Every structure is written in C-alpha cells, then in structure tokens.
Amino acid sequence: KAFKPRQVFCLNATPIENNLIDLWSQLALVAPEIFPSFRDFDARYVRRIVLTTQSGRKVDKIVGHNHVDEVKALIKDRYVRRAYKDVDEQLPDVVVVWHMVELGDAQLREYQAVQADQNLDSLVKIGELVRRALFTEDDGKVISAKLDELPGLLDGLGDEQAVLATQSKVFAHQVAALLKDRGDSYGLITGDVA
C-alpha cells in the first residue's frame, strides 16, 4: 500500500469464479475503498469449513463463496470481464514450459515416512510435502530442488521474459533473493496487505 502509482491494472483469468480471496488481493491494490478490511471481506463472502483429522488437527478449507452477486455489483465499475472466445484471436501466442523437478532428498525422505499411512492425516501431510518448495536443515540452511534448478532454466531463456508463479509466499521470497543475487530484474507480488 506504500506504493502509490498513478494507475493500477490487475489481470486475472477468473477471480470471481475461482477464488474471491485473489480478487480481494487485487482490489486492495486497485480500489482499497471497496473492501478495506480483509477480515470483513472473508467473513461475509468466503464460505469455509473446518475439518478435523483423525489426530484432532484442525484444517481450514474454503468450500465456496457467499453473496457473489453483491460482490459483482460493488465492483462493476472497476471490473471488465471478457470471455476467452471474445479475445482469443487478439492475444499473441504464449509459450508455456512445464519443467518437472524431482523431489529433493529431504522432501523425498519425509514423503516416504508418511506414505505408508492410509488416513486423512497422512494425505494432508503428503499434500503439504508436495506443495512445500523449501526445507530447512538442522543447521538452518534452506534447501530446495526447485530453487536449485531455477538458475539453469532462467539462463536458458536468453533475452526472453518469464513469469514465475507459486502458492508459497516463502518460496516467492527465496526466488526474489536468488534473482537479486544474480542481478536479474524482477517484480514480486505476494498479495501481502499492510
């Protein structure tokens, strides 16, 4: 919020249909006066449930949205929606490169440790392991197979630009640190709010 540009544009494929929290993050930049409080927005428009695993651990899960028509009405002057079929021919070709990275040793060890269990707790743990991009060893060193492979991928781009997306804010900051150390220019958008 400390960044005060003259104009702000946010682009997203389907924020209302997929995730209202993403929409709130964008509107916090574009028009913070519409929904100034994330807590109020979340309480009114996001439908959540709390699941309890067999070990008693509570897991918060978004299961839908409330009052979507109200959200649409509030943002109608600030939100332009076009169907893909309406803009497909106007868009330049995009090259998408998927690069699979094997689990790192630490990630693989943890994965194998919970793999044998066949209960909700183990499924939750496996999901967390697969999504987790960083591991910290006992000596505090951060290790990541994904982060280790990134410089080679970036070097292979030449003068091309890249968009890197992750669901892990911690990983995003590690990537930013790597890019800074390399002297690469980058922008970091995390959705953090002040």
Side-chain angles (χ1 to χ4, degrees):
K1 290 184 178 182
F3 186 57
K4 303 287 185 197
R6 288 192 325 238
Q7 293 181 329
V8 177
F9 296 92
C10 289
L11 305 175
N12 191 319
T14 51
I16 289 180
E17 293 84 351
N18 288 342
N19 189 332
L20 286 181
I21 293 174
D22 287 349
L23 178 66
W24 183 88
S25 296
Q26 292 177 12
L27 288 171
L29 291 170
V30 176
E33 69 280 1
I34 295 176
F35 303 112
S37 164
F38 174 75
R39 287 184 186 187
D40 293 344
F41 180 89
D42 187 62
R44 176 147 181 85
Y45 301 111
V46 179
R47 188 177 323 129
R48 298 173 179 270
I49 61 170
V50 177
L51 301 173
T52 304
T53 65
Q54 290 177 345
S55 68
R57 181 175 167 216
K58 304 285 187 195
V59 179
D60 184 58
K61 181 168 176 61
I62 296 174
V63 294
H65 304 101
N66 300 314
H67 314 292
V68 173
D69 289 337
E70 182 179 311
V71 173
K72 288 179 180 180
L74 288 167
I75 67 170
K76 69 177 169 46
D77 295 333
R78 304 204 187 240
Y79 176 74
V80 177
R81 183 173 191 273
R82 290 188 176 171
Y84 179 77
K85 65 179 176 54
D86 297 334
V87 295
D88 181 38
E89 293 179 13
Q90 301 168 12
L91 297 173
D93 291 335
V94 174
V95 177
V96 177
V97 177
W98 289 96
H99 182 78
M100 301 301 289
V101 177
E102 295 291 326
L103 297 177
D105 291 339
Q107 195 175 19
L108 182 59
R109 280 192 304 275
E110 285 193 45
Y111 177 83
Q112 290 169 336
V114 297
Q115 186 179 23
D117 295 335
Q118 295 297 318
N119 59 46
L120 182 58
D121 286 335
S122 64
L123 292 175
V124 169
K125 287 179 188 175
I126 287 174
E128 290 170 356
L129 285 171
V130 171
R131 286 186 300 276
R132 191 184 326 160
L134 301 169
F135 286 81
T136 306
E137 292 186 329
D138 293 337
D139 63 1
K141 178 184 174 195
V142 173
I143 55 174
S144 167
K146 293 177 183 178
L147 205 56
D148 290 346
E149 291 215 16
L150 187 56
L153 292 171
L154 294 172
D155 291 342
L157 291 175
D159 292 334
E160 296 293 324
Q161 295 181 345
V163 174
L164 305 173
T166 177
Q167 291 181 333
S168 168
K169 200 181 319 179
V170 173
F171 187 65
H173 285 285
Q174 288 291 324
V175 169
L178 171 77
L179 295 173
K180 182 179 180 182
D181 289 347
R182 287 171 44 98
D184 293 334
S185 59
Y186 65 92
L188 176 64
I189 300 173
T190 63
D192 284 340
V193 294

PDB file of all heavy atoms in Angstrom, residues 24 35-46 193:
ATOM      1  N   TRP A  24      -9.950 -10.113  -3.807  1.00  0.00           N
ATOM      2  CA  TRP A  24      -9.747  -9.120  -2.763  1.00  0.00           C
ATOM      3  C   TRP A  24      -8.313  -8.575  -2.815  1.00  0.00           C
ATOM      4  O   TRP A  24      -8.099  -7.371  -2.699  1.00  0.00           O
ATOM      5  CB  TRP A  24     -10.038  -9.686  -1.371  1.00  0.00           C
ATOM      6  CG  TRP A  24      -9.880  -8.614  -0.335  1.00  0.00           C
ATOM      7  CD1 TRP A  24     -10.840  -7.743   0.077  1.00  0.00           C
ATOM      8  CD2 TRP A  24      -8.683  -8.241   0.349  1.00  0.00           C
ATOM      9  NE1 TRP A  24     -10.313  -6.851   0.980  1.00  0.00           N
ATOM     10  CE2 TRP A  24      -8.987  -7.139   1.170  1.00  0.00           C
ATOM     11  CE3 TRP A  24      -7.385  -8.728   0.350  1.00  0.00           C
ATOM     12  CZ2 TRP A  24      -8.040  -6.527   1.977  1.00  0.00           C
ATOM     13  CZ3 TRP A  24      -6.441  -8.116   1.158  1.00  0.00           C
ATOM     14  CH2 TRP A  24      -6.784  -7.028   1.971  1.00  0.00           C
ATOM     15  N   PHE A  35     -13.404  -2.707  -0.433  1.00  0.00           N
ATOM     16  CA  PHE A  35     -13.352  -3.720   0.627  1.00  0.00           C
ATOM     17  C   PHE A  35     -12.111  -3.450   1.478  1.00  0.00           C
ATOM     18  O   PHE A  35     -11.092  -4.115   1.335  1.00  0.00           O
ATOM     19  CB  PHE A  35     -13.271  -5.136   0.039  1.00  0.00           C
ATOM     20  CG  PHE A  35     -14.389  -5.493  -0.874  1.00  0.00           C
ATOM     21  CD1 PHE A  35     -14.172  -5.681  -2.227  1.00  0.00           C
ATOM     22  CD2 PHE A  35     -15.676  -5.677  -0.390  1.00  0.00           C
ATOM     23  CE1 PHE A  35     -15.204  -6.029  -3.084  1.00  0.00           C
ATOM     24  CE2 PHE A  35     -16.715  -6.024  -1.232  1.00  0.00           C
ATOM     25  CZ  PHE A  35     -16.478  -6.198  -2.590  1.00  0.00           C
ATOM     26  N   PRO A  36     -12.149  -2.464   2.395  1.00  0.00           N
ATOM     27  CA  PRO A  36     -10.940  -2.094   3.127  1.00  0.00           C
ATOM     28  C   PRO A  36     -10.421  -3.163   4.089  1.00  0.00           C
ATOM     29  O   PRO A  36      -9.233  -3.234   4.349  1.00  0.00           O
ATOM     30  CB  PRO A  36     -11.342  -0.827   3.875  1.00  0.00           C
ATOM     31  CG  PRO A  36     -12.823  -0.814   3.888  1.00  0.00           C
ATOM     32  CD  PRO A  36     -13.286  -1.609   2.712  1.00  0.00           C
ATOM     33  N   SER A  37     -11.293  -3.999   4.607  1.00  0.00           N
ATOM     34  CA  SER A  37     -10.868  -4.976   5.616  1.00  0.00           C
ATOM     35  C   SER A  37     -10.939  -6.396   5.067  1.00  0.00           C
ATOM     36  O   SER A  37     -12.007  -6.863   4.675  1.00  0.00           O
ATOM     37  CB  SER A  37     -11.777  -4.868   6.844  1.00  0.00           C
ATOM     38  OG  SER A  37     -11.640  -6.016   7.660  1.00  0.00           O
ATOM     39  N   PHE A  38      -9.791  -7.080   5.060  1.00  0.00           N
ATOM     40  CA  PHE A  38      -9.790  -8.466   4.607  1.00  0.00           C
ATOM     41  C   PHE A  38     -10.652  -9.334   5.527  1.00  0.00           C
ATOM     42  O   PHE A  38     -11.390 -10.197   5.057  1.00  0.00           O
ATOM     43  CB  PHE A  38      -8.372  -9.037   4.549  1.00  0.00           C
ATOM     44  CG  PHE A  38      -8.375 -10.511   4.215  1.00  0.00           C
ATOM     45  CD1 PHE A  38      -8.620 -10.923   2.924  1.00  0.00           C
ATOM     46  CD2 PHE A  38      -8.185 -11.462   5.202  1.00  0.00           C
ATOM     47  CE1 PHE A  38      -8.658 -12.280   2.606  1.00  0.00           C
ATOM     48  CE2 PHE A  38      -8.221 -12.808   4.898  1.00  0.00           C
ATOM     49  CZ  PHE A  38      -8.455 -13.216   3.599  1.00  0.00           C
ATOM     50  N   ARG A  39     -10.553  -9.120   6.815  1.00  0.00           N
ATOM     51  CA  ARG A  39     -11.342  -9.939   7.753  1.00  0.00           C
ATOM     52  C   ARG A  39     -12.836  -9.814   7.496  1.00  0.00           C
ATOM     53  O   ARG A  39     -13.564 -10.799   7.488  1.00  0.00           O
ATOM     54  CB  ARG A  39     -11.016  -9.570   9.192  1.00  0.00           C
ATOM     55  CG  ARG A  39      -9.664 -10.063   9.607  1.00  0.00           C
ATOM     56  CD  ARG A  39      -9.393  -9.778  11.052  1.00  0.00           C
ATOM     57  NE  ARG A  39      -8.021 -10.155  11.319  1.00  0.00           N
ATOM     58  CZ  ARG A  39      -7.488 -10.172  12.498  1.00  0.00           C
ATOM     59  NH1 ARG A  39      -8.197  -9.822  13.546  1.00  0.00           N
ATOM     60  NH2 ARG A  39      -6.237 -10.520  12.666  1.00  0.00           N
ATOM     61  N   ASP A  40     -13.309  -8.583   7.282  1.00  0.00           N
ATOM     62  CA  ASP A  40     -14.727  -8.384   6.990  1.00  0.00           C
ATOM     63  C   ASP A  40     -15.107  -9.032   5.663  1.00  0.00           C
ATOM     64  O   ASP A  40     -16.148  -9.663   5.537  1.00  0.00           O
ATOM     65  CB  ASP A  40     -15.078  -6.893   6.949  1.00  0.00           C
ATOM     66  CG  ASP A  40     -14.957  -6.229   8.319  1.00  0.00           C
ATOM     67  OD1 ASP A  40     -14.902  -6.954   9.341  1.00  0.00           O
ATOM     68  OD2 ASP A  40     -14.913  -4.985   8.361  1.00  0.00           O
ATOM     69  N   PHE A  41     -14.257  -8.860   4.654  1.00  0.00           N
ATOM     70  CA  PHE A  41     -14.500  -9.454   3.341  1.00  0.00           C
ATOM     71  C   PHE A  41     -14.577 -10.976   3.455  1.00  0.00           C
ATOM     72  O   PHE A  41     -15.509 -11.613   2.966  1.00  0.00           O
ATOM     73  CB  PHE A  41     -13.379  -9.047   2.375  1.00  0.00           C
ATOM     74  CG  PHE A  41     -13.534  -9.613   0.994  1.00  0.00           C
ATOM     75  CD1 PHE A  41     -14.255  -8.938   0.034  1.00  0.00           C
ATOM     76  CD2 PHE A  41     -12.938 -10.820   0.657  1.00  0.00           C
ATOM     77  CE1 PHE A  41     -14.395  -9.445  -1.246  1.00  0.00           C
ATOM     78  CE2 PHE A  41     -13.074 -11.340  -0.612  1.00  0.00           C
ATOM     79  CZ  PHE A  41     -13.807 -10.658  -1.573  1.00  0.00           C
ATOM     80  N   ASP A  42     -13.594 -11.557   4.129  1.00  0.00           N
ATOM     81  CA  ASP A  42     -13.533 -13.004   4.289  1.00  0.00           C
ATOM     82  C   ASP A  42     -14.764 -13.529   5.028  1.00  0.00           C
ATOM     83  O   ASP A  42     -15.373 -14.514   4.621  1.00  0.00           O
ATOM     84  CB  ASP A  42     -12.248 -13.382   5.036  1.00  0.00           C
ATOM     85  CG  ASP A  42     -12.015 -14.875   5.088  1.00  0.00           C
ATOM     86  OD1 ASP A  42     -11.862 -15.482   4.011  1.00  0.00           O
ATOM     87  OD2 ASP A  42     -11.990 -15.434   6.199  1.00  0.00           O
ATOM     88  N   ALA A  43     -15.148 -12.851   6.094  1.00  0.00           N
ATOM     89  CA  ALA A  43     -16.293 -13.294   6.899  1.00  0.00           C
ATOM     90  C   ALA A  43     -17.594 -13.236   6.108  1.00  0.00           C
ATOM     91  O   ALA A  43     -18.457 -14.108   6.245  1.00  0.00           O
ATOM     92  CB  ALA A  43     -16.409 -12.448   8.164  1.00  0.00           C
ATOM     93  N   ARG A  44     -17.751 -12.229   5.262  1.00  0.00           N
ATOM     94  CA  ARG A  44     -19.017 -12.071   4.533  1.00  0.00           C
ATOM     95  C   ARG A  44     -19.087 -12.889   3.250  1.00  0.00           C
ATOM     96  O   ARG A  44     -20.129 -13.431   2.913  1.00  0.00           O
ATOM     97  CB  ARG A  44     -19.246 -10.594   4.201  1.00  0.00           C
ATOM     98  CG  ARG A  44     -20.504 -10.381   3.356  1.00  0.00           C
ATOM     99  CD  ARG A  44     -21.184  -9.087   3.650  1.00  0.00           C
ATOM    100  NE  ARG A  44     -22.389  -8.910   2.868  1.00  0.00           N
ATOM    101  CZ  ARG A  44     -23.584  -9.393   3.196  1.00  0.00           C
ATOM    102  NH1 ARG A  44     -23.726 -10.084   4.299  1.00  0.00           N
ATOM    103  NH2 ARG A  44     -24.626  -9.174   2.424  1.00  0.00           N
ATOM    104  N   TYR A  45     -17.975 -13.000   2.523  1.00  0.00           N
ATOM    105  CA  TYR A  45     -18.051 -13.547   1.174  1.00  0.00           C
ATOM    106  C   TYR A  45     -17.409 -14.923   0.980  1.00  0.00           C
ATOM    107  O   TYR A  45     -17.667 -15.566  -0.038  1.00  0.00           O
ATOM    108  CB  TYR A  45     -17.415 -12.567   0.186  1.00  0.00           C
ATOM    109  CG  TYR A  45     -18.082 -11.217   0.192  1.00  0.00           C
ATOM    110  CD1 TYR A  45     -17.430 -10.094   0.683  1.00  0.00           C
ATOM    111  CD2 TYR A  45     -19.386 -11.064  -0.269  1.00  0.00           C
ATOM    112  CE1 TYR A  45     -18.053  -8.853   0.702  1.00  0.00           C
ATOM    113  CE2 TYR A  45     -20.021  -9.837  -0.253  1.00  0.00           C
ATOM    114  CZ  TYR A  45     -19.342  -8.732   0.236  1.00  0.00           C
ATOM    115  OH  TYR A  45     -19.963  -7.514   0.254  1.00  0.00           O
ATOM    116  N   VAL A  46     -16.600 -15.372   1.908  1.00  0.00           N
ATOM    117  CA  VAL A  46     -15.913 -16.653   1.733  1.00  0.00           C
ATOM    118  C   VAL A  46     -16.538 -17.697   2.656  1.00  0.00           C
ATOM    119  O   VAL A  46     -16.646 -17.480   3.860  1.00  0.00           O
ATOM    120  CB  VAL A  46     -14.401 -16.519   2.017  1.00  0.00           C
ATOM    121  CG1 VAL A  46     -13.704 -17.854   1.851  1.00  0.00           C
ATOM    122  CG2 VAL A  46     -13.788 -15.465   1.088  1.00  0.00           C
ATOM    123  N   VAL A 193      -0.873  -7.675   2.650  1.00  0.00           N
ATOM    124  CA  VAL A 193      -1.566  -6.428   2.923  1.00  0.00           C
ATOM    125  C   VAL A 193      -1.024  -5.835   4.208  1.00  0.00           C
ATOM    126  O   VAL A 193      -0.630  -6.537   5.112  1.00  0.00           O
ATOM    127  CB  VAL A 193      -3.098  -6.648   3.040  1.00  0.00           C
ATOM    128  CG1 VAL A 193      -3.660  -7.065   1.704  1.00  0.00           C
ATOM    129  CG2 VAL A 193      -3.443  -7.664   4.096  1.00  0.00           C
TER     130      VAL A 193
END
